[in-house]
């Protein structure tokens, strides 16, 4: 499991806010507020807790619940409803939200004309189905008769400011009729969340010094995977295994130059950016992204150029196929248009952090944080291209250079609270990063957690990431069992899911003993293949029907025994 997101609520719908007109809130004082969240990494959960605290200060009776725990029969009791939900995968609801999402879209959905509501949607605009789950809830609630008291707010990866603005506007709507002004002002004056949140975010970044950079792939490998160690000395930053590190990259000078030539702009023009006035060259280097191409940028460029070709693509069903592999340079070469410097930056997505699963335990490495970065290089549409952030770390920054970072807490990918509960970890490629952190944590805490690793990559001799460390963990008994799959070491490709099936009987026994199952890595193929293999194992080894197998897996997910960190 991000386009520039407005930090204020528009009064009319925009391209990312397909909403109907807002209806006036009834004059009676609201007594109850229900907050329902569906979270994948914990952001929606934290925002819900924050909103609840602010609402309590206004004297509201507040109920907060994840969507999975909420009883649909209680919908009839709701007066005011706040939905805070992320979008998982390619436009899908997070596991917590699946049942409620299905219920509201089904034949048994009730009339909700007694409900006042608003939706805060979290997403990533680099995906075509940006904030789709939030859009779904917003539309179906209106369809069922609920009254929207505030337009849906769609939040990109940098969600803090628009989320805070939405919270305040939502509470203003609820409180404006009859709550004492002193209370309302008290909450309004509190511009920062009441509950503790990550200190280092896009408004308060820490510049970490690079201590070490090592290419973990052997000579002759078809891959480039870099282990990076960063110094957090003096930052006060804390993190736990399972958290991610947000890292800001920059555009490559070669791509910037090509874009300037294509637009016939010198780069010397002064432009007004979200970070103040600066030259276009500086803005294109640090403040905006030239790759990847997003649906929002495509929409803005189509509106600007009035291109029938681009509008046809936007209205078609293959937009994701069009966006794949394209960048800004491809777009302006395909549909040339004389842009001013200000027009050009107006269509671009703000530079957003890339999230890397942390590959270390702070209890083991103290004032350091370790990352495992797969360097992205590819050829598309006749040009060699590269990943925005991975090549910043690999090519444009060296040891002793500084990089802007912040910790992104992930409450949904954590070691079991019971140190004796077994863990099964499936992490091919860079997906193994958080499991290195798990091992360090278990070793330092001297717990006897039964642990089983499934790791996969292309070739054993060149791509066995952290090989000596895994062997040492096995020797020391920190890691109980390991199974590996190297896809290209034999004619018939083998993957981690194949190793799972080969060990199906034992894997099922671990699950029956209370094992927690973790998956980290590619969402589009690997994670789905692993889930298919898991269901096959459970069905065969447990002798269950397909329906009972689905229920078994769903129970694992809802009890936090099946956790994913996929992207």
């Amino acid at each position: 499991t991000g386009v520039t997101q407005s930090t204020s609520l528009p009064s009319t719908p925009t391209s990312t806010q397909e909403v109907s007109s807002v209806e006036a809130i009834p004059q009676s004082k609201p007594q109850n507020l229900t907050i329902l969240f569906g979270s994948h990494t914990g952001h929606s959960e934290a925002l819900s807790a924050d909103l609840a605290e602010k609402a309590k200060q206004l004297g509201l009776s507040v109920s907060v619940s994840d969507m999975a725990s909420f009883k649909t029969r209680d919908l009839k009791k709701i007066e005011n409803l706040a939905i805070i939900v992320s979008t998982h995968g390619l436009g899908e609801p997070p596991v917590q939200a699946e049942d409620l999402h299905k219920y509201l879209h089904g034949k048994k959905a009730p009339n909700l004309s007694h409900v006042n509501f608003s939706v805060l949607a979290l997403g990533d605009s680099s995906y075509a189905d940006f904030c789709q789950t939030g859009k779904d809830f917003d539309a179906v609630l209106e369809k069922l008769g609920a009254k929207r008291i505030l337009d849906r707010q769609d939040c990109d990866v940098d969600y803090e400011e628009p989320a805070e603005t939405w919270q305040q506007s939502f509470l203003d709507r609820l409180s404006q009729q009859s709550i004492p002004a002193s209370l309302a002002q008290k909450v309004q004056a509190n511009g920062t969340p009441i509950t503790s949140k990550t200190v280092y975010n896009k408004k308060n970044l820490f510049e970490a010094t690079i201590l070490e950079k090592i290419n973990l792939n052997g000579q002759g490998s078809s891959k480039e995977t870099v282990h990076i160690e960063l110094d957090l000395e003096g930052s006060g930053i804390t993190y736990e295994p399972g958290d991610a590190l947000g890292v800001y990259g920059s555009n490559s000078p070669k791509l910037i130059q090509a874009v300037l030539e294509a637009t016939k702009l010198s780069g010397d023009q002064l432009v007004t950016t979200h970070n103040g006035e600066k030259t276009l060259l500086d803005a294109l280097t640090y403040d905006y992204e030239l790759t990847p191409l997003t649906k929002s940028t495509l929409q803005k460029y189509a509106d600007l150029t009035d291109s029938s070709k681009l509008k046809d693509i936007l209205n078609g069903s293959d937009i994701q196929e069009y966006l794949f592999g394209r960048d800004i340079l491809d777009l302006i070469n395909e549909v040339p248009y004389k842009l001013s410097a200000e027009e050009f930056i107006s269509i671009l997505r703000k530079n957003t952090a890339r999230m890397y699963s942390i590959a270390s335990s702070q209890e083991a490495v103290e004032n350091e944080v370790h990352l495992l970065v797969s360097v992205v290089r590819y050829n598309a549409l006749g040009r060699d291209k590269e990943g925005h952030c991975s090549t910043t770390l690999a090519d444009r920054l060296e040891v002793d250079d500084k990089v802007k970072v912040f910790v992104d807490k992930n409450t949904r990918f954590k070691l079991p609270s019971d140190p004796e509960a077994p863990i099964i970890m499936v992490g091919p490629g860079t997906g193994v990063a958080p499991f290195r952190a798990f091992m360090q944590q278990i070793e330092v805490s001297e717990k006897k957690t039964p642990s089983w690793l499934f790791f996969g990559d292309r070739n054993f001799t060149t791509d066995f990431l952290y090989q000596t460390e895994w062997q040492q963990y096995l020797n020391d008994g920190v890691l109980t069992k390991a199974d590996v799959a190297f896809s290209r070491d034999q004619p018939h490709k083998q993957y981690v899911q194949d190793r799972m099936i080969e060990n199906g009987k034992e894997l099922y026994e671990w699950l029956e003993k209370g094992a927690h199952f973790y998956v980290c890595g590619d969402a589009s193929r690997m994670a789905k293949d692993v889930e298919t293999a898991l269901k096959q194992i459970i069905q065969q080894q447990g002798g269950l029907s397909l329906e009972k197998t689905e229920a078994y897996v769903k129970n694992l997910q809802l009890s936090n025994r099946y956790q994913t960190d996929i992207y």
Side-chain angles (χ1 to χ4, degrees):
T1 239
V3 151
T4 301
Q5 176 66 41
S6 171
T7 56
S8 59
L9 288 167
S11 57
T12 56
T14 67
S15 61
T16 59
Q17 282 186 291
E18 303 150 10
V19 296
S20 302
S21 59
V22 174
E23 297 192 33
I25 186 170
Q27 294 298 307
S28 60
K29 176 182 176 180
Q31 297 296 321
N32 300 296
L33 170 62
T34 301
I35 303 170
L36 299 180
F37 64 87
S39 192
H40 181 58
T41 63
H43 293 154
S44 296
E45 183 177 8
L47 288 169
S48 296
D50 183 28
L51 178 63
E53 287 299 319
K54 291 177 177 176
K56 287 173 184 176
Q57 285 193 30
L58 291 174
L60 296 180
S61 174
V62 184
S63 169
V64 184
S65 173
D66 67 86
M67 292 181 180
S69 302
F70 179 73
K71 301 293 188 293
T72 53
R73 63 174 179 268
D74 289 337
L75 284 168
K76 63 178 179 289
K77 303 176 185 176
I78 291 177
E79 294 178 13
N80 301 288
L81 174 64
I83 293 279
I84 303 180
V85 67
S86 64
T87 294
H88 175 55
L90 300 176
E92 302 154 7
V95 171
Q96 285 180 324
E98 285 177 351
D99 288 348
L100 182 61
H101 184 274
K102 184 177 180 180
Y103 175 77
L104 291 176
H105 285 84
K107 292 181 180 179
K108 295 183 179 180
N111 181 290
L112 297 178
S113 56
H114 59 286
V115 175
N116 306 307
F117 80 96
S118 184
V119 175
L120 179 67
L122 304 187
D124 181 340
S125 64
S126 65
Y127 292 94
D129 296 315
F130 174 54
C131 286
Q132 188 59 49
T133 302
K135 293 175 182 177
D136 290 347
F137 274 107
D138 188 64
V140 77
L141 287 169
E142 181 184 46
K143 182 181 177 182
L144 296 173
K147 293 174 280 293
R148 185 185 294 104
I149 59 173
L150 187 68
D151 285 349
R152 184 189 73 247
Q153 177 66 51
D154 294 340
C155 296
D156 210 335
V157 175
D158 292 333
Y159 64 87
E160 292 89 349
E161 286 187 10
E164 191 174 313
T165 301
W166 174 86
Q167 286 182 330
Q168 189 57 58
S169 297
F170 181 69
L171 292 174
D172 284 348
R173 292 294 176 93
L174 292 182
S175 65
Q176 62 188 339
Q177 299 301 322
S178 55
I179 290 179
S182 58
L183 272 177
Q185 289 168 0
K186 178 181 177 183
V187 176
Q188 189 163 8
N190 185 3
T192 57
I194 293 168
T195 54
S196 60
K197 298 181 76 172
T198 307
V199 174
Y200 288 90
N201 52 35
K202 64 187 180 73
K203 293 186 288 187
N204 188 23
L205 301 172
F206 180 70
E207 291 194 337
T209 302
I210 298 176
L211 299 172
E212 189 76 78
K213 253 175 60 169
I214 305 169
N215 185 348
L216 296 187
N217 297 108
Q219 189 172 0
S221 173
S222 58
K223 302 180 76 174
E224 186 179 351
T225 314
V226 183
H227 170 82
I228 295 175
E229 299 179 5
L230 301 173
D231 187 5
L232 300 179
E233 183 75 43
S235 68
I237 288 177
T238 60
Y239 63 88
E240 296 178 335
D243 290 341
L245 193 74
V247 181
Y248 281 87
S250 60
N251 291 305
S252 78
K254 181 180 177 182
L255 179 58
I256 294 170
Q257 189 56 42
V259 165
L260 289 175
E261 290 174 4
T263 56
K264 296 182 172 56
L265 295 168
S266 67
D268 296 330
Q269 297 91 344
L270 288 177
V271 291
T272 303
T273 76
H274 54 92
N275 285 326
E277 189 177 68
K278 56 183 65 181
T279 66
L280 177 61
L281 178 60
D282 281 346
L284 294 183
T285 302
Y286 301 109
D287 297 308
Y288 297 92
E289 294 181 9
L290 301 177
T291 184
L293 185 61
T294 67
K295 181 181 178 181
S296 177
T297 291
L298 186 64
Q299 181 72 62
K300 291 174 183 176
Y301 195 63
D303 292 342
L304 192 64
T305 60
D306 199 28
S307 165
S308 58
K309 173 186 175 181
L310 297 182
K311 289 179 179 179
D312 287 344
I313 292 167
L314 283 160
N315 293 327
S317 59
D318 58 351
I319 182 171
Q320 195 63 46
E321 183 180 338
Y322 177 82
L323 293 173
F324 185 76
R326 276 182 166 80
D327 60 16
I328 297 298
L329 182 56
D330 293 318
L331 180 63
I332 57 182
N333 280 335
E334 288 176 23
V335 183
Y337 183 79
K338 186 172 177 56
L339 292 158
S340 69
E342 291 282 0
E343 284 176 327
F344 185 36
I345 64 166
S346 75
I347 70 169
L348 299 178
R349 169 183 167 174
K350 278 197 303 185
N351 189 14
T352 57
R354 301 306 193 259
M355 300 299 174
Y356 292 100
S357 303
I358 292 174
S360 57
S361 161
Q362 194 164 28
E363 290 189 27
V365 301
E366 297 181 342
N367 289 317
E368 296 179 11
V369 62
H370 299 175
L371 303 180
L372 185 61
V373 178
S374 178
V375 184
V376 178
R377 306 185 198 278
Y378 60 103
N379 186 282
L381 302 168
R383 288 176 38 234
D384 288 332
K385 299 176 180 178
E386 58 185 39
H388 174 80
C389 193
S390 65
T391 53
T392 297
L393 293 168
D395 299 346
R396 295 189 282 282
L397 293 175
E398 302 297 336
V399 170
D400 294 332
D401 286 342
K402 293 183 182 296
V403 60
K404 294 179 179 179
V405 303
F406 64 93
V407 167
D408 190 55
K409 300 290 185 183
N410 185 347
T411 61
R412 298 278 162 184
F413 201 81
K414 286 288 177 280
L415 281 164
S417 55
D418 177 3
E420 295 184 2
I423 62 172
I424 301 170
M425 306 167 286
V426 183
T430 54
V432 82
F435 304 133
R436 180 178 185 260
F438 281 13
M439 289 296 99
Q440 288 185 357
Q441 182 76 13
I442 291 169
E443 182 179 43
V444 169
S445 60
E446 299 182 347
K447 305 296 184 186
K448 298 297 182 184
T449 305
S451 55
W452 187 353
L453 174 71
F454 288 91
F455 173 75
D457 216 312
R458 291 181 180 174
N459 299 101
F460 172 82
T461 55
T462 58
D463 306 321
F464 197 163
L465 307 178
Y466 300 122
Q467 178 183 1
T468 56
E469 292 188 23
W470 299 121
Q471 290 172 333
Q472 190 62 51
Y473 286 135
L474 280 168
N475 292 338
D476 295 344
V478 178
L479 179 63
T480 309
K481 183 177 171 64
D483 284 279
V484 296
F486 294 96
S487 60
R488 302 189 182 185
D489 278 351
Q490 60 284 311
H492 178 66
K493 290 185 178 179
Q494 297 179 358
Y495 300 101
V496 285
Q497 60 267 26
D498 298 316
R499 293 289 177 264
M500 287 170 54
I501 291 170
E502 289 170 10
N503 291 272
K505 184 175 184 294
E506 186 176 359
L507 195 152
Y508 183 70
E509 289 172 355
W510 278 52
L511 291 175
E512 286 291 280
K513 292 176 182 176
H516 290 232
F517 188 79
Y518 300 88
V519 183
C520 181
D522 172 58
S524 61
R525 296 176 63 180
M526 181 278 296
K528 292 178 181 178
D529 291 341
V530 166
E531 180 161 321
T532 299
L534 179 65
K535 289 178 179 178
Q536 180 182 327
I537 290 166
I538 291 168
Q539 185 173 11
Q540 290 178 349
Q541 300 300 324
L544 303 179
S545 65
L546 181 60
E547 185 179 3
K548 288 187 176 179
T549 298
E550 294 285 349
Y552 189 110
V553 172
K554 189 68 170 286
N555 183 59
L556 288 177
Q557 292 171 323
L558 295 179
S559 60
N560 289 325
R561 285 181 52 208
Y562 180 1
Q563 300 185 25
T564 61
D565 180 9
I566 57 179
Y567 37 84

